[in-house]
Amino acid sequence: MALNKKPMTGMKDILPAEMELRDYVMNVIKDNYRKYGFTPIETPAVESIENLSSKQGGENEKLIFKILKRGEKLNLSEAKEERDLTDSGLRYDLTLPLARFYANNGANLPTPFKSLQMGNVFRADRPQKGRFRQFMQCDIDILGEPGNLAEIELILATSSTLNKLGFTGFRVRINERKILKAMASYAGFAEDQMDTVFIILDKMDKIGLKGVAEELEREGFSKASVDRYKELFEKTSQGGEGLSYLKDVLKDHLEDGVIENLSEILDATSGGADGKFSIVFDPTLVRGMSYYTGTIFEIEMAELNSSVAGGGRYDKMVGRFTGNDVPACGFSIGFERIITILMDQGFQVPAPVSKTAYLVEKGMPADRLSEIMKKAREEREKGAQILVVRMNKNKKFQKEQLMKEGYEAFVDFYKEALKK
């Protein structure tokens, strides 16, 4: 029986043209984030199943790729429950592994610690355009900074990185979990009901405010609370005016300084936008992860009609490992979505100064081949891109194929004499 030549569902082979684009985008991202002082790290793709199932990953915990125990630890005949079969899984994001990394290595890291992490994550999700079961994430995080300088740096660093990739005119939406909770409390929802309320509110962009209200009522919440909640959103505009309104209305439900803190972030990041993007307070922004404790934000692009980056503050996660909370805030670029947009636009990776193919005739003597390789090395050291390949019988067709890959110059090397 023939082996299956196709990749597993939700995963894909990456052809050279796309790989060239991915390498280019990764390099732009890394170079720009380094300018903001972020330091690259790496964590394993495999994490403890207890960590992955710690009720911090929201809906993603339903999508874990679980790994069977190995060797003698795996005893199928005596297994009675899931934990007898699995003790680890593939990470579904980079934030939880970072918290574990910091808990384990924090004593050897500076404060604040500015982390840059890029790597594949895995979710047993339903595949669709721009969404796979194995996909690249790109995160920057600041740990140990309790003030809003962390949010300001993260938003400006991520926005400028998208600008470097040619994106402008996008919108940064920002909200605060404390404001979300205060609005729910004002409407009369109990603390233990808020997660359900927020899950429904998160559907606002799909079903609208009327749809949110109807679903809340179907869930069994009182009409009085739902009507008060709906009215609050109707009267709360986006932007600074909405914050001023909520400061007055929620004064008995919201701790001091929250509105002022968010206003400072809006003012500072708007000043750094230079007209290339906009930032706005959006009271309907929820973000699904239950680990968020404060500011949350997303970046929307018209090209995809959805968010391409998101993040927020998660001050309690490191404390789950150590018992001592550490201020933490992060932003993640949806790398695969960015790649999808660029490919749909026909984006061309900027060509190097020179892209030349050396075509070497078969049977070339070793001493001559050594000279050719030396010449290629010298040109590469000058910054040129040199491809050394064997010469095909149909040299015209070979050159046509290489031209499609961006090679503009060719040097032919023959056994008898050097020709150009």
mmCIF file of all heavy atoms in Angstrom, residues 38 45 113 203 209 211 217 220 231 282 296 314 392 404 408:
data_model
loop_
_atom_site.group_PDB
_atom_site.id
_atom_site.type_symbol
_atom_site.label_atom_id
_atom_site.label_comp_id
_atom_site.label_asym_id
_atom_site.label_seq_id
_atom_site.Cartn_x
_atom_site.Cartn_y
_atom_site.Cartn_z
ATOM 1 N N PHE A 38 13.804 44.249 22.537
ATOM 2 C CA PHE A 38 13.287 42.913 22.828
ATOM 3 C C PHE A 38 14.363 41.863 22.532
ATOM 4 O O PHE A 38 15.080 41.957 21.543
ATOM 5 C CB PHE A 38 12.019 42.636 22.027
ATOM 6 C CG PHE A 38 10.835 43.444 22.496
ATOM 7 C CD1 PHE A 38 10.531 44.661 21.897
ATOM 8 C CD2 PHE A 38 10.056 43.008 23.550
ATOM 9 C CE1 PHE A 38 9.459 45.428 22.332
ATOM 10 C CE2 PHE A 38 8.984 43.756 24.001
ATOM 11 C CZ PHE A 38 8.687 44.969 23.395
ATOM 12 N N ALA A 45 8.290 23.075 22.200
ATOM 13 C CA ALA A 45 6.938 22.945 21.650
ATOM 14 C C ALA A 45 6.056 22.082 22.546
ATOM 15 O O ALA A 45 4.832 22.155 22.480
ATOM 16 C CB ALA A 45 6.987 22.350 20.247
ATOM 17 N N PHE A 113 11.949 42.483 31.823
ATOM 18 C CA PHE A 113 12.465 41.592 30.782
ATOM 19 C C PHE A 113 11.592 41.727 29.551
ATOM 20 O O PHE A 113 10.379 41.528 29.615
ATOM 21 C CB PHE A 113 12.471 40.148 31.271
ATOM 22 C CG PHE A 113 12.932 39.163 30.228
ATOM 23 C CD1 PHE A 113 14.172 39.297 29.633
ATOM 24 C CD2 PHE A 113 12.120 38.103 29.831
ATOM 25 C CE1 PHE A 113 14.606 38.402 28.654
ATOM 26 C CE2 PHE A 113 12.548 37.196 28.872
ATOM 27 C CZ PHE A 113 13.799 37.359 28.287
ATOM 28 N N LYS A 203 -19.229 38.210 20.685
ATOM 29 C CA LYS A 203 -19.850 37.951 19.382
ATOM 30 C C LYS A 203 -20.437 39.218 18.760
ATOM 31 O O LYS A 203 -21.078 39.160 17.711
ATOM 32 C CB LYS A 203 -20.962 36.906 19.526
ATOM 33 C CG LYS A 203 -20.512 35.571 20.106
ATOM 34 C CD LYS A 203 -21.693 34.633 20.302
ATOM 35 C CE LYS A 203 -21.278 33.330 20.973
ATOM 36 N NZ LYS A 203 -22.434 32.436 21.199
ATOM 37 N N LEU A 209 -25.369 44.371 18.667
ATOM 38 C CA LEU A 209 -25.812 44.586 20.053
ATOM 39 C C LEU A 209 -27.173 43.946 20.315
ATOM 40 O O LEU A 209 -27.396 43.354 21.386
ATOM 41 C CB LEU A 209 -25.871 46.090 20.347
ATOM 42 C CG LEU A 209 -26.274 46.492 21.771
ATOM 43 C CD1 LEU A 209 -25.344 45.855 22.803
ATOM 44 C CD2 LEU A 209 -26.274 48.011 21.919
ATOM 45 N N GLY A 211 -28.392 41.288 18.865
ATOM 46 C CA GLY A 211 -28.176 39.851 18.963
ATOM 47 C C GLY A 211 -27.564 39.452 20.295
ATOM 48 O O GLY A 211 -27.912 38.408 20.863
ATOM 49 N N GLU A 217 -30.579 37.021 27.092
ATOM 50 C CA GLU A 217 -31.895 36.652 27.634
ATOM 51 C C GLU A 217 -32.140 35.154 27.485
ATOM 52 O O GLU A 217 -32.676 34.511 28.397
ATOM 53 C CB GLU A 217 -32.991 37.463 26.941
ATOM 54 C CG GLU A 217 -33.064 38.914 27.391
ATOM 55 C CD GLU A 217 -34.360 39.585 26.959
ATOM 56 O OE1 GLU A 217 -35.439 38.989 27.159
ATOM 57 O OE2 GLU A 217 -34.285 40.704 26.411
ATOM 58 N N GLY A 220 -30.799 33.097 30.141
ATOM 59 C CA GLY A 220 -31.496 33.113 31.420
ATOM 60 C C GLY A 220 -31.250 34.334 32.273
ATOM 61 O O GLY A 220 -31.742 34.406 33.417
ATOM 62 N N GLU A 231 -28.284 49.385 27.103
ATOM 63 C CA GLU A 231 -28.351 50.845 27.109
ATOM 64 C C GLU A 231 -26.968 51.454 27.377
ATOM 65 O O GLU A 231 -26.609 52.480 26.788
ATOM 66 C CB GLU A 231 -29.346 51.308 28.178
ATOM 67 C CG GLU A 231 -29.512 52.828 28.226
ATOM 68 C CD GLU A 231 -30.439 53.271 29.336
ATOM 69 O OE1 GLU A 231 -30.644 52.482 30.288
ATOM 70 O OE2 GLU A 231 -30.958 54.395 29.271
ATOM 71 N N ASP A 282 -12.488 50.871 22.586
ATOM 72 C CA ASP A 282 -13.647 50.115 22.126
ATOM 73 C C ASP A 282 -14.194 49.290 23.293
ATOM 74 O O ASP A 282 -13.612 48.280 23.677
ATOM 75 C CB ASP A 282 -13.261 49.192 20.976
ATOM 76 C CG ASP A 282 -14.450 48.477 20.359
ATOM 77 O OD1 ASP A 282 -15.538 48.498 20.972
ATOM 78 O OD2 ASP A 282 -14.305 47.889 19.263
ATOM 79 N N ILE A 296 -6.404 45.293 27.296
ATOM 80 C CA ILE A 296 -6.432 44.340 26.176
ATOM 81 C C ILE A 296 -6.479 45.149 24.882
ATOM 82 O O ILE A 296 -6.987 46.270 24.860
ATOM 83 C CB ILE A 296 -7.639 43.378 26.242
ATOM 84 C CG1 ILE A 296 -8.951 44.145 26.480
ATOM 85 C CG2 ILE A 296 -7.438 42.327 27.328
ATOM 86 C CD1 ILE A 296 -10.187 43.271 26.490
ATOM 87 N N TYR A 314 -1.454 40.340 31.640
ATOM 88 C CA TYR A 314 -1.785 39.099 32.342
ATOM 89 C C TYR A 314 -0.911 38.993 33.606
ATOM 90 O O TYR A 314 0.009 38.210 33.690
ATOM 91 C CB TYR A 314 -1.606 37.886 31.420
ATOM 92 C CG TYR A 314 -0.252 37.771 30.743
ATOM 93 C CD1 TYR A 314 0.735 36.922 31.238
ATOM 94 C CD2 TYR A 314 0.044 38.518 29.605
ATOM 95 C CE1 TYR A 314 1.974 36.820 30.629
ATOM 96 C CE2 TYR A 314 1.278 38.415 28.986
ATOM 97 C CZ TYR A 314 2.237 37.564 29.503
ATOM 98 O OH TYR A 314 3.473 37.471 28.890
ATOM 99 N N ASN A 392 22.132 21.477 -16.943
ATOM 100 C CA ASN A 392 21.268 20.490 -17.581
ATOM 101 C C ASN A 392 21.540 20.429 -19.079
ATOM 102 O O ASN A 392 22.119 21.349 -19.670
ATOM 103 C CB ASN A 392 19.796 20.831 -17.356
ATOM 104 C CG ASN A 392 19.391 20.662 -15.913
ATOM 105 O OD1 ASN A 392 20.127 20.071 -15.115
ATOM 106 N ND2 ASN A 392 18.234 21.184 -15.555
ATOM 107 N N LYS A 404 12.465 32.478 -13.419
ATOM 108 C CA LYS A 404 11.204 32.566 -12.670
ATOM 109 C C LYS A 404 11.459 32.687 -11.170
ATOM 110 O O LYS A 404 10.619 33.191 -10.425
ATOM 111 C CB LYS A 404 10.334 31.337 -12.956
ATOM 112 C CG LYS A 404 9.785 31.279 -14.380
ATOM 113 C CD LYS A 404 8.962 30.022 -14.593
ATOM 114 C CE LYS A 404 8.442 29.937 -16.022
ATOM 115 N NZ LYS A 404 7.653 28.696 -16.259
ATOM 116 N N GLU A 408 18.847 36.649 -12.591
ATOM 117 C CA GLU A 408 18.939 37.513 -13.764
ATOM 118 C C GLU A 408 20.247 37.331 -14.523
ATOM 119 O O GLU A 408 20.335 37.677 -15.701
ATOM 120 C CB GLU A 408 18.784 38.972 -13.335
ATOM 121 C CG GLU A 408 17.449 39.258 -12.661
ATOM 122 C CD GLU A 408 17.363 40.672 -12.118
ATOM 123 O OE1 GLU A 408 18.429 41.332 -12.070
ATOM 124 O OE2 GLU A 408 16.262 41.099 -11.738
#
